[in-house]
Amino acid sequence: MAATQVFGVDIGGSGIKGAPVDLARGELAAPRHKVLTPHPASPESVVAAVKEVVEHFDHQGPVGLTFPGVVVRGHTRTAANVDPGWIDLDAEGLFRETLDLPATVLNDADAAGLAEVAHGAGRGEAGVVLVLTFGTGIGSALFVDGTLVPNTELGHLELRGKDAERRASAAARERHELSWAEWSVRVDEYLDLVERLFSPQLVIIGGGVSRKHEKFLPLLKERAARVVPAALRNDAGIVGAAMATGRARH
Ligand code: BGC
């Protein structure tokens, strides 16, 4: 494998997936390798699992990694759905040392958003674009003319007195055994809220549940923003993580 190849790793609640990425095409350069996320997902055990994924490809070169929480300059700041050991950790430093490779860490929804806006459903779209990922939580990535505003954390907006993701994530649908129609009402309520605050012209729905978009997108009400499914689906996190390795940081 070429020494300059870029690698992306998507760290999720159930799996850690990685692959070399073709940055020009915005797609995986080889089939991804997945290992189960260790439980508890402490930094040490996750780093060991990531090492296994990267070594599977004998990769040498920069590695981009997603994290399901706030990431500021490589430090993980929150851990809503993961082990509290990640709070205020120099995650980038830890990955760099363990992998002995250049590492860049960013929020998972921001990574998915970067990939969707460059190569997927948001390609060529000017103005305000919001990418929302529905999974264990709700992730958000906000773009203005293609530029990311990182760590927006819109899954934690308050909805009916609760964290919005507790009511409207894909996990909430399963937890409360909601029908697609019942869940769509909650998603609509959430979209009303974000639309009131940000007036996006395009909302891209990602996360695992976007694979089943035909079950719920047609049930959502008409709104000013166009609401479309993510185009890259499962690979968006890996592609976006790899894209982040070459980006300037704020
Ligand atoms: C976290 C976000 C993350 C989202 C999706 C939320 O609970 O706070 O940082 O993007 O879940 O994983």
Side-chain angles (χ1 to χ4, degrees):
M1 193 156 291
T4 51
Q5 182 119 48
V6 172
F7 198 90
V9 181
D10 194 9
I11 301 174
S14 59
I16 296 177
K17 302 163 281 184
V21 171
D22 180 336
L23 287 181
R25 300 166 74 94
E27 56 189 42
L28 307 192
R32 63 190 190 165
H33 182 65
K34 176 176 171 175
V35 299
L36 292 181
T37 305
H39 286 288
S42 64
E44 296 69 29
S45 56
V46 168
V47 169
V50 165
K51 193 166 159 55
E52 189 185 327
V53 172
V54 175
E55 285 179 351
H56 177 82
F57 293 88
D58 192 21
H59 171 75
Q60 300 296 324
V63 179
L65 306 112
T66 71
F67 177 75
V70 172
V71 186
V72 181
R73 294 174 192 272
H75 289 68
T76 44
R77 295 290 186 209
T78 65
N81 293 308
V82 283
D83 189 86
W86 289 91
I87 296 174
D88 287 333
L89 179 76
D90 177 9
E92 221 167 71
L94 186 61
F95 283 115
R96 199 181 309 125
E97 254 169 52
T98 317
L99 301 173
D100 200 18
L101 294 172
T104 306
V105 184
L106 80 165
N107 173 262
D108 57 356
D110 285 346
L114 285 176
E116 282 298 330
V117 162
H119 301 285
R123 200 171 158 178
E125 189 83 21
V128 178
V129 174
L130 185 59
V131 180
L132 296 172
T133 62
F134 289 79
T136 309
I138 299 178
S140 61
L142 182 67
F143 292 83
V144 185
D145 290 339
T147 299
L148 172 68
V149 182
N151 294 307
T152 42
E153 293 290 313
L154 303 184
H156 300 293
L157 287 172
E158 191 178 311
L159 195 62
R160 293 186 183 254
K162 273 193 192 171
D163 234 23
E165 69 177 23
R166 303 286 306 159
R167 273 188 68 78
S169 67
R173 186 182 74 81
E174 284 164 18
R175 201 168 48 240
H176 301 299
E177 298 180 1
L178 302 175
S179 66
W180 289 105
E182 286 165 329
W183 185 60
S184 305
V185 173
R186 292 184 178 207
V187 173
D188 259 334
E189 212 176 24
Y190 177 63
L191 293 178
D192 284 347
L193 179 60
V194 293
E195 195 170 42
R196 264 200 315 276
L197 292 171
F198 298 100
S199 302
Q201 66 211 42
L202 177 67
V203 177
I204 300 172
I205 307 285
V209 78
S210 67
R211 258 176 292 148
K212 301 185 183 154
H213 63 89
E214 70 293 338
K215 300 239 190 239
F216 66 96
L217 284 191
L219 305 178
L220 297 178
K221 69 182 196 196
E222 281 290 314
R223 60 181 65 250
R226 280 175 291 135
V227 181
V228 301
L232 302 183
R233 311 281 153 77
N234 262 339
D235 295 337
I238 299 176
V239 172
M243 287 173 65
T245 57
R247 281 169 51 87
R249 288 215 309 211
H250 304 284

